[in-house]
Amino acid sequence: MNIAKAAVLGAGTMGAGIAAHLANAGIPTLLLDIAPQDESITDKNQIVNSLFDAAKKLKPAPFMLADNAKLITTGNFTDDLHKIKDCDFVIEAVVENLEIKHKLYAEVDKHRKPGAVIASNTSGIPIDSIAEPFSDDFKAHFVGIHFFNPPRYMKLVEVIPGSKTSGEIACKISGFLDQRLGKGVVPAKDRPNFIANRIGVFGMMATIHEMIAGGWTPTEVDQMTGKAIGHASSATFRTSDLVGLDVTAHVTNNLYPAVPDDEDRDVFVLPELIQTLLDKKLLGDKTKGGFFKKSKDAEGKRVILELDLNTFEYKPQVKTKFPSLDAAKGIEDKAKRVKALVWGDDRVGEFLWKTTSRVSRYAANRIPEIADTIVEIDNAIKWGFGWEIGVFEAWDAIGVTESVERMRKEGQAIPANVEKMLASGATSFYKNEGGNHSFYDLVSGEYKPMPARPGVLIFKDIKERTGVIKSNPGASLIDIGDGVACLEFHSKMNSIGGDTVPMMNFAIEEVEKNFTGLVVGNQGGNFSAGANIMMLLLAAQEEEWDDINMMVRALQNAVMRLRYSAKPVVTAPYGLTLGGGCEIAMHGDKVRAAGETYIGLVEVGVGVIPAGCGTKEMTMRAMDAAAKAPDADPLAFPKRHLKRSAWARSQLRHRKAARSDSFATATRSR
Ligand code: NAI
């Protein structure tokens, strides 16, 4: 769908963030908000401009480049709403109040462009009730689009068609959100709080009830419910502190009356303990104290205090030693780790079994109420709550047959669709047969191929299906079809080491002989953390200067072969792309960089000069720029580039802080 111009109505937390992300995708965007009520204020854009200015200063930054902000034009609902007549996409993000939204949509309806998509970012108001007063044509073009906060960094966007939304509109806008904005789109039904928050908040409340019943401390619960089981590192209560207990309570209180038929609805009854915390305004970071509180000790060192749930006083945080959690740290495979912990015959196992099995049963019972398949629930929870392993993936890991047996023994009601699945002989929710993935469709009662994602290749699956052309511990060459080969790094942090360079040379030779082109790309956390400096360090300590010379030359030659290969080379950096990784990325014929790429020559920070052609490349680029400005001092150009390399390490630190911040904020979603 071609969206040449967009409008965002409401410039608060979500509106400003969505507008920034539209601008990140290069889309000119109109950002409107209310004019000040106070008539003595003559500037009608005062509210929108102050919200927009605040957004520009936010950390982590909503804009990928500060200049993207120039694509945004601000205005107010009183004077400028008619300007939406030029917009192909209008998304509303004003306060969560049906009456206010209705009033605004009545104006939108007067000015909207024929065919334009009109969307609401509501987190809880039914889409049908927002569209209810309007024409069928309005309804056909109206859809719920639920971004998570912060919109640039959170992958999940739920698309919620109302009962009269045109299928074509929902489909086209989903394509736009996926391909143009880079989001993970999950189709959701128009049911209370959609998918991620319905399941995520259920999980949070189930955990809180279990903590109270078992007399656990918030720290102990976080030790069990974070990274250990493949959930976000902020686990349960650090997440609650980031989000704000009032927000969680608000969603919970909304859900209880909205889901009268839920078999496990009582989980949404706020325990007395939570009510006390709300009354005492112990909401989390926003009130400078929730389940945890940041403080300083007598020596001024930063310490974390935790709330004593009996006295409501803060005390030093105490991490309990759990042998099972320590042992699990050694289990690299997430699925195996979850299985070991949940089946553990200690208190940790008991806690995790109770919470995990309760969430699993609840999620299965929500199909097809909130989503058609398990895939949507797993994607929503992974992309919206930062879980590395979805509800049904975890259930597979634990073992469906064995866990259902245990539930039965304990007198738990088994979801009818899961009973049926087991009765049919199917024993897992997902299957992987030689790189061909399928999922069990709980509605039709059969396995179906995982939904295809056009344009997406999963290297792991390709390798399972077709094998590799050549591989060593650091890199592989894969045939990805259409006459194209891919050079994939897969060392730790995808660093460039002794294995990478020979594979680069082999890749060029093979592609020049047998392929049309080469892609240098990989799939993991980061494109490459750079050359393995350890090897250089050891050689320097041994004063093996000839060896160092050889290593550097080998990398330079391989990098230059990418540049001068007889066949086209496309590099595809993303995430950290540092040092040698940056040098490789710069030497393709074309670079297809992901939006979230943190790229640079950072070697100076560890005491070495970028020597894999990065310094040469930056100088050449600087001189190209100098040639275009004949009146300027030519030396100023390389100077600027060299300075950038010299400072890159400190900028990286800043970036890293932004990334971890972004993760923290990422969990601040409703
Ligand atoms: P916010 O409070 O930051 O912004 C609300 C905006 O509404 C402000 O710009 C305000 O000026 C405007 N507004 C206030 N009164 C108005 C009126 N009478 N008429 C028109 N506009 C008015 O709220 P936030 O958090 O950005 O939420 C906006 C929408 O996004 C809500 O529907 C919310 O449920 C939803 N949402 C919020 C998320 C979050 O994490 N904050 C996540 C996903 C959805």
Side-chain angles (χ1 to χ4, degrees):
M1 167 168 227
N2 184 29
I3 289 180
K5 199 164 179 213
V8 180
L9 311 181
T13 310
M14 293 308 290
I18 294 168
H21 200 56
L22 286 162
N24 287 335
I27 299 166
T29 299
L30 187 63
L31 178 63
L32 306 181
D33 209 311
I34 43 173
Q37 314 267 295
D38 180 347
E39 282 176 10
S40 67
I41 302 172
T42 50
D43 178 7
K44 289 208 196 139
N45 287 346
Q46 191 237 17
I47 292 179
V48 67
N49 284 342
S50 69
L51 288 167
F52 184 46
D53 287 344
K56 283 191 268 191
K57 293 188 197 119
L58 273 181
K59 289 212 164 60
F63 290 101
M64 290 177 177
L65 299 170
D67 260 5
N68 291 348
K70 292 185 185 146
L71 283 169
I72 294 180
T73 314
T74 54
N76 63 80
F77 295 146
T78 315
D79 295 338
D80 301 306
L81 206 54
H82 67 94
K83 292 182 184 160
I84 66 165
K85 70 179 188 315
D86 300 324
C87 299
D88 306 299
F89 176 48
V90 178
I91 178 161
E92 162 275 312
V94 301
V95 279
E96 189 76 333
N97 175 311
L98 185 58
E99 203 182 317
I100 289 177
K101 289 191 197 275
H102 273 161
K103 254 172 93 180
L104 184 60
Y105 282 114
E107 293 304 307
V108 168
D109 199 21
K110 287 183 199 157
H111 302 293
R112 70 191 166 97
K113 180 178 174 176
V117 177
I118 312 295
S120 175
N121 187 51
T122 178
S123 38
I125 305 179
I127 301 306
D128 272 351
S129 66
I130 301 179
E132 198 267 324
F134 304 104
S135 66
D136 280 354
D137 185 69
F138 179 97
K139 288 184 178 119
H141 291 87
F142 182 70
V143 62
I145 297 185
H146 188 214
F147 279 89
F148 278 61
N149 186 27
R152 170 182 164 190
Y153 297 94
M154 291 300 289
K155 190 172 167 72
L156 179 62
V157 174
E158 291 171 324
V159 171
I160 313 111
S163 56
K164 298 259 175 69
T165 305
S166 122
E168 191 185 339
I169 289 287
C171 181
K172 281 185 173 168
I173 200 70
S174 299
F176 165 80
L177 293 163
D178 175 351
Q179 287 169 19
R180 194 84 190 268
L181 298 194
K183 294 290 139 196
V185 178
V186 170
K189 307 249 182 119
D190 194 8
R191 295 289 305 151
N193 290 88
F194 316 129
I195 302 177
N197 283 343
R198 179 84 171 266
I199 302 294
V201 170
F202 180 94
M204 185 170 262
M205 293 312 295
T207 306
I208 292 177
H209 287 293
E210 201 50 48
M211 169 181 79
I212 297 169
W216 297 85
T217 69
T219 300
E220 287 171 337
V221 172
D222 274 10
Q223 284 176 267
M224 295 185 285
T225 58
K227 282 269 162 228
I229 53 165
H231 289 192
S233 54
S234 48
T236 305
F237 294 113
R238 185 69 206 114
T239 301
S240 168
D241 279 358
L242 285 165
V243 174
L245 192 60
D246 53 336
V247 174
T248 311
H250 178 75
V251 178
T252 311
N253 286 334
N254 273 352
L255 269 169
Y256 183 80
V259 292
D261 300 330
D262 260 22
E263 72 289 346
D264 204 357
R265 177 197 194 201
D266 283 352
V267 85
F268 298 120
V269 175
L270 281 187
E272 215 181 293
L273 168 78
I274 300 299
Q275 197 50 56
T276 311
L277 295 187
L278 292 169
D279 295 344
K280 288 181 178 289
K281 294 267 175 288
L282 299 171
L283 306 180
D285 292 2
K286 63 171 95 165
T287 55
K288 307 240 176 310
F291 290 98
F292 302 106
K293 184 186 175 104
K294 291 179 194 142
S295 182
K296 293 208 166 134
D297 67 9
E299 282 131 44
K301 254 181 49 198
R302 285 171 53 151
V303 288
I304 303 281
L305 304 177
E306 75 173 300
L307 191 68
D308 183 320
L309 300 180
N310 297 311
T311 62
F312 298 103
E313 300 286 330
Y314 286 97
K315 57 178 189 185
Q317 186 181 31
V318 181
K319 290 203 173 158
T320 309
K321 210 156 167 43
F322 294 111
S324 58
L325 284 179
D326 287 343
K329 280 190 191 132
I331 309 175
E332 190 82 20
D333 184 299
K334 282 185 289 283
K336 290 191 178 131
R337 196 166 65 229
V338 170
K339 181 173 188 179
L341 284 169
V342 171
W343 285 105
D345 56 6
D346 59 345
R347 283 187 76 211
V348 172
E350 191 191 336
F351 182 93
L352 290 177
W353 164 256
K354 282 188 178 152
T355 46
T356 311
S357 60
R358 191 171 181 188
V359 175
S360 305
R361 286 195 305 274
Y362 185 73
N365 278 325
R366 301 284 73 72
I367 293 175
E369 182 208 332
I370 63 170
D372 283 330
T373 77
I374 58 171
V375 181
E376 282 98 39
I377 293 189
D378 275 359
N379 282 342
I381 205 79
K382 288 199 286 187
W383 294 339
F385 276 76
W387 294 17
E388 291 176 63
I389 181 165
V391 177
F392 295 96
E393 288 168 341
W395 202 341
D396 272 351
I398 294 162
V400 187
T401 314
E402 307 86 300
S403 57
V404 165
E405 221 166 88
R406 179 165 170 188
M407 289 172 194
R408 212 170 268 135
K409 264 195 214 139
E410 291 176 357
Q412 310 290 352
I414 315 297
N417 48 15
V418 176
E419 288 270 30
K420 249 169 85 184
M421 170 177 129
L422 289 176
S424 77
T427 53
S428 69
F429 291 104
Y430 294 99
K431 272 201 312 200
N432 175 10
E433 285 157 326
N436 294 308
H437 293 265
S438 52
F439 70 95
Y440 190 83
D441 180 4
L442 287 171
V443 176
S444 67
E446 59 188 349
Y447 283 100
K448 290 193 171 157
M450 284 294 273
R453 293 170 64 197
V456 176
L457 299 176
I458 309 288
F459 294 163
K460 202 167 138 273
D461 296 343
I462 295 177
K463 288 194 279 187
E464 269 186 55
R465 282 200 298 264
T466 58
V468 292
I469 301 167
K470 190 170 178 172
S471 187
N472 67 29
S476 298
L477 188 69
I478 326 164
D479 181 347
I480 55 172
D482 297 330
V484 179
C486 177
L487 170 62
E488 182 204 17
F489 307 147
H490 43 65
S491 54
K492 186 147 204 244
M493 293 291 280
N494 289 334
S495 65
I496 319 289
D499 292 327
T500 323
V501 172
M503 193 56 75
M504 284 167 76
N505 285 320
F506 173 79
I508 296 289
E509 277 155 29
E510 182 65 19
V511 166
E512 285 185 341
K513 270 193 277 176
N514 297 321
F515 287 85
T516 318
L518 175 70
V519 171
V520 184
N522 53 64
Q523 290 169 334
N526 297 293
F527 179 74
S528 172
N532 185 346
I533 302 282
M534 205 54 197
M535 286 191 330
L536 275 181
L537 181 74
L538 292 176
Q541 270 173 350
E542 299 295 319
E543 300 191 4
E544 304 280 10
W545 309 122
D546 287 343
D547 284 3
I548 293 183
N549 198 12
M550 255 172 52
M551 272 187 244
V552 170
R553 251 168 218 277
L555 178 60
Q556 287 177 351
N557 288 339
V559 166
M560 290 311 283
R561 285 186 80 179
L562 290 180
R563 165 55 49 87
Y564 291 112
S565 142
K567 297 281 174 71
V569 175
V570 176
T571 59
Y574 65 95
L576 292 183
T577 301
L578 306 178
C582 169
E583 287 167 325
I584 289 172
M586 282 196 293
H587 283 78
D589 295 287
K590 286 270 182 251
V591 183
R592 184 81 173 136
E596 301 297 342
T597 303
Y598 302 89
I599 186 164
L601 297 171
V602 294
E603 289 89 335
V604 173
V606 289
V608 292
I609 290 170
C613 299
T615 313
K616 175 273 303 169
E617 184 64 23
M618 293 303 259
T619 311
M620 281 182 60
R621 289 178 186 208
M623 295 322 291
D624 283 349
K628 287 186 194 132
D631 298 334
D633 170 14
L635 262 185
F637 290 85
K639 241 172 147 176
R640 198 164 53 231
H641 280 289
L642 291 174
K643 226 168 160 183
R644 198 172 282 162
S645 300
W647 284 353
R649 180 61 56 167
S650 66
Q651 292 194 343
L652 176 68
R653 261 200 294 276
H654 170 75
R655 273 294 184 198
K656 269 193 176 153
R659 279 160 63 90
S660 54
D661 262 16
S662 89
F663 189 71
T665 330
T667 47
R668 220 174 291 157
S669 55
R670 285 188 211 157

